[in-house]
Amino acid sequence: MGRSELKRLSREELIALVLRLQRPEKTSRTSSKPPATDRMKQRAHSKPGGSKPGHEGHRRVLTTDPDTVVEHRPEARACCGCRLHAALPAEIVSVSEQIELPAVAPIVTQHQRLAVCCPRCGERVVAPVPEAARGTPFGPRLHAVATYLKTCQALSYERLQAALSDLFGLTLSQGGLMNLLRRAQGCFRSGRDAAIATLRKADVVACDETGVRIEGSNAYHWLFHSAAAVVHTASPTRGAVVVREMMDRRRPAVWISDRYTAQQGHADEHQTCLAHLARDVAYAVEFSDDPVPWRLQLWLQSVFALAERVTDLAASTLSAKHRSLDRQLGAILGTSSRCDLTRELQVKSGRARDLLLIFLAFPGKVEPTNNGSERLPHPAVVRRRVTNGYRAMWAAEGESAIRTVVDTARLTGSGPFSTVLETVGA
C-alpha cells in the first residue's frame, strides 16, 4: 500500500490497519499452516531430537524364519585346551542377524516366431503370434514397481527413469514410462468405483481438500473417507458441486469437515472440526490479554478430555455433559469484549455452536476433529511440492484412483505395494 492510498484511509481504517500489523505471525500451532512454514528462529529454540532421559528403548524384532542359520560353537576350552565335540549339548547365548538384498536384474523372456517348410507340400508355415507378444513388453511386476515409485514415493518421470536404470538396469524413455503408467492406472478404475459405492453407503463421512496444479492451472485434490473407504478425486473447482457429484444425492447421518462453506449442508448432522477452532483459539490467547480466548481454550480442553472417554460413558451422562458444555460455551460467547480478535473468535464459534458437540450423540463413530482427512492427502501434498503438479488431467485422475484403492486397502491392513501389484496383476 502506497503513501497516497494511506492518506485516503479514514482514522478508523488506519487504527484497524495498525492493529492488524501488530498481531503476531501465525504458526502451525495457531493456524492450519504446515509445520514447514514456521520461521527458522522458532525452530532454533525447539527441543533437541533423539530419545529423552527415561525413554524405554526399542530394538528391531528378529526374523522368525531366517533363510540360513549358522551356528558358532566353541572348539576348545581356553584354560585346559580340552576339545569341545559337536555332540555336546549347547544353548543359545545370543542371536545376531545380517540382512542383505539380492542383486536384482530384469528377467527377459524372448519369444521367437519360427517358420517351417512343410515336407509334403513345401508350404512355409509361420507360428501364430504368441499372447505375450500382443501387448506391452513390460510385465505386471514392472508396472507395479513403476506405479508404486511414481505414486507412493512421489518420483518425477526423470527420477523414476534414473531409479529404474540404477537399481534394475532398465532403460526406458519418459514417453515409455508415461504409457506404462497410463496402462497401470486403468487397472484401478473398478476398485475406485467400488470404494465410491462403499462411501455412499456410509453413515459417517469426513471430507477435506487441498490445492494442486493440473495442466499449469490451480486445481484441487479432494479427499472423502469413512470407516470402510477412502476416496481421492481431482477437480478444477473447490465448490460444493464436487461433494454433490461424489455422494450422488446420498446424505449420510453425519458429515465431518472444517468450517469451509462448500462442505456444509451435506448430511443430517454436521461435526465441525474442533482442532481448527483450537488453533484459532491458541492464536487469540497468544495475541490478546482478554480472558475470553483463555476461557474458550479451557472449554476445548474439557471437550477433548471427554472425547477420549466418550465410549465409556452412558447415554444419559453424555447428554448431561452436552448440556453443561453448551451452557458454558453460551456464557463464554455472551461475554462482552473490546478486543477485535476476541469478537471475531466469538462470531466464528457462535456461528458453529450447534455443530461443535455432535460427536457426543454418536460415541465411537464420530470424531471431534477432522484430523484424519487432513493426514490422508499428505502424500499428495508432498508430490505437489516435489513435482509441482500434473502435466495432464488424466494423470491426476489416474493417480487419484490409485490412491483410492491403496488407502482403502490400507484400512484392512494391506500394504501399498502388495495392493498395487495385486491390482495390476489381476
Side-chain angles (χ1 to χ4, degrees):
M1 184 176 291
R3 180 183 293 272
S4 59
E5 295 173 314
L6 287 172
K7 289 181 177 179
R8 288 196 293 268
L9 294 178
S10 65
R11 182 171 179 271
E12 289 74 14
E13 290 172 333
L14 283 172
I15 293 174
L17 177 60
V18 171
L19 289 175
R20 283 198 301 270
L21 292 175
Q22 288 179 341
R23 293 181 182 179
E25 191 173 326
K26 288 191 174 182
T27 66
S28 60
R29 190 180 60 83
T30 59
S31 71
S32 298
K33 296 173 67 176
T37 60
D38 291 348
R39 298 188 304 182
M40 292 298 296
K41 67 178 183 180
Q42 292 174 328
R43 297 179 189 175
H45 298 291
S46 61
K47 295 181 180 179
S51 62
K52 305 300 183 288
H55 174 72
E56 182 181 354
H58 299 280
R59 295 184 177 182
R60 185 180 58 82
V61 179
L62 296 177
T63 304
T64 57
D65 55 344
D67 298 290
T68 305
V69 176
V70 180
E71 294 182 344
H72 299 271
R73 298 177 62 95
E75 297 181 355
R77 182 172 170 80
C79 61
C80 64
C82 179
R83 301 290 297 176
L84 303 176
H85 301 290
L88 293 173
E91 61 175 334
I92 299 175
V93 177
S94 64
V95 177
S96 59
E97 292 183 342
Q98 184 181 34
I99 302 174
E100 180 59 289
L101 289 174
V104 179
I107 301 173
V108 180
T109 303
Q110 192 176 75
H111 297 269
Q112 298 178 346
R113 293 176 64 202
L114 303 180
V116 180
C117 288
C118 178
R120 176 176 297 180
C121 64
E123 186 72 22
R124 183 171 178 267
V125 182
V126 181
V129 178
E131 189 64 31
R134 295 180 184 274
T136 171
F138 307 121
R141 183 171 287 272
L142 178 54
H143 277 76
V145 169
T147 301
Y148 171 79
L149 292 176
K150 186 75 173 66
T151 304
C152 300
Q153 299 302 327
L155 295 189
S156 63
Y157 280 108
E158 183 178 358
R159 294 174 62 199
L160 176 59
Q161 189 181 31
L164 293 177
S165 175
D166 296 341
L167 295 175
F168 310 122
L170 287 170
T171 303
L172 282 77
S173 67
Q174 292 191 22
L177 283 174
M178 182 184 70
N179 293 332
L180 182 151
L181 292 167
R182 196 164 190 173
R183 282 192 299 271
Q185 288 175 355
C187 301
F188 292 84
R189 290 180 187 139
S190 59
R192 180 181 185 273
D193 293 341
I196 292 176
T198 302
L199 180 79
R200 290 172 177 170
K201 296 176 183 177
D203 292 328
V204 180
V205 176
C207 176
D208 198 13
E209 85 290 326
T210 185
V212 68
R213 297 280 291 177
I214 302 177
E215 297 180 347
S217 300
N218 291 333
Y220 296 91
H221 182 106
W222 284 78
L223 182 283
F224 303 85
H225 78 99
S226 65
V230 178
V231 178
H232 298 259
T233 188
S235 175
T237 178
R238 199 187 179 198
V241 62
V242 180
V243 181
R244 290 195 291 268
E245 290 177 355
M246 176 58 63
M247 298 306 296
D248 192 28
R249 298 183 297 277
R250 168 74 166 83
R251 290 177 63 86
V254 184
W255 194 271
I256 308 174
S257 74
D258 54 28
R259 296 188 297 271
Y260 179 49
T261 305
Q263 297 183 18
Q264 309 294 315
H266 302 295
D268 299 336
E269 299 283 357
H270 190 107
Q271 172 64 51
T272 291
C273 178
L274 295 183
H276 283 73
L277 179 60
R279 289 192 287 263
D280 291 341
V281 171
Y283 179 71
V285 169
E286 186 175 300
F287 167 76
S288 174
D289 294 330
D290 193 283
V292 171
W294 177 73
R295 291 172 60 193
L296 192 54
Q297 190 175 56
L298 292 177
W299 182 84
L300 282 170
Q301 291 175 1
S302 301
V303 174
F304 287 133
L306 178 60
E308 292 180 356
R309 54 193 185 95
V310 67
T311 55
D312 301 330
L313 302 176
S316 57
T317 303
L318 289 176
S319 179
K321 289 186 176 295
H322 185 289
R323 291 192 297 270
S324 175
L325 288 170
D326 187 64
R327 284 195 301 269
Q328 295 173 28
L329 180 60
I332 295 171
L333 299 181
T335 303
S336 61
S337 173
R338 292 185 295 178
C339 175
D340 59 339
L341 188 59
T342 297
R343 291 196 298 270
E344 291 175 12
L345 187 60
Q346 287 176 314
V347 170
K348 286 181 181 179
S349 303
R351 210 178 284 137
R353 178 178 176 179
D354 296 335
L355 313 178
L356 300 180
L357 301 174
I358 298 299
F359 73 96
L360 294 176
F362 302 87
K365 297 180 180 179
V366 177
E367 294 293 328
T369 70
N370 198 31
N371 291 342
S373 297
E374 292 190 342
R375 287 191 295 265
L376 286 168
H378 183 68
V381 175
V382 172
R383 189 196 187 286
R384 178 190 68 201
R385 293 175 178 171
V386 172
T387 63
N388 199 30
Y390 303 91
R391 300 180 186 177
M393 191 64 185
W394 67 261
E397 293 174 345
E399 190 162 304
S400 295
I402 295 172
R403 294 189 186 280
T404 295
V405 175
V406 168
D407 285 346
T408 299
R410 202 194 300 265
L411 296 176
T412 59
S414 298
F417 180 70
S418 61
T419 301
V420 172
L421 180 58
E422 181 181 354
T423 305
V424 172

